[in-house]
Amino acid sequence: MENLDAKSISLWIMATIYTIAGILHFVIPKFYMRIMPPWIPYHKLMVQLSGIAEIALGLGLFFPQTKVLAAWGVVLLLIAVFPANVYHFQSRTRKDPPTWALILRLPLQLLLIYWAYTFTY
């Protein structure tokens, strides 16, 4: 088991967040389908696949043997879902978070990418 230091705690937090986020794709799929850009085909399938990917990557972060590969996967996943975040901002409805939160999420994505990148070596 790894030492219980700030980096290990950060890794466990990240792993938990992605695992839960992936599960939410199956709990509230309508939310995820609504923010899919129209040019992406098969919204339901894509939501399910991205949910499976998030669960697998989140769980992969928990194990030293798969941590680096899972961290690279998170980096790639965050890049892949960025268009959905842009589309969500552009197509915001009253049900969505406030505009400022959707704008803030865009640069936050870069911080999340960096956070995952710190576990790739």
Side-chain angles (χ1 to χ4, degrees), residues 13-55:
I13 290 170
M14 178 186 290
T16 301
I17 287 170
Y18 286 103
T19 303
I20 291 170
I23 292 168
L24 288 176
H25 282 67
F26 298 94
V27 175
I28 52 170
K30 286 182 182 180
F31 169 80
Y32 293 96
M33 285 191 283
R34 192 167 45 81
I35 69 171
M36 294 281 288
W39 51 267
I40 294 177
Y42 311 109
H43 287 184
K44 185 175 182 180
L45 176 63
M46 292 301 167
V47 167
Q48 292 169 339
L49 291 175
S50 60
I52 290 168
E54 281 190 270
I55 293 167

Side-chain angles (χ1 to χ4, degrees), residues 49-75:
L49 291 175
S50 60
I52 290 168
E54 281 190 270
I55 293 167
L57 295 171
L59 294 175
L61 290 170
F62 282 111
F63 302 98
Q65 303 89 331
T66 55
K67 175 184 75 172
V68 171
L69 184 60
W72 277 115
V74 169
V75 168

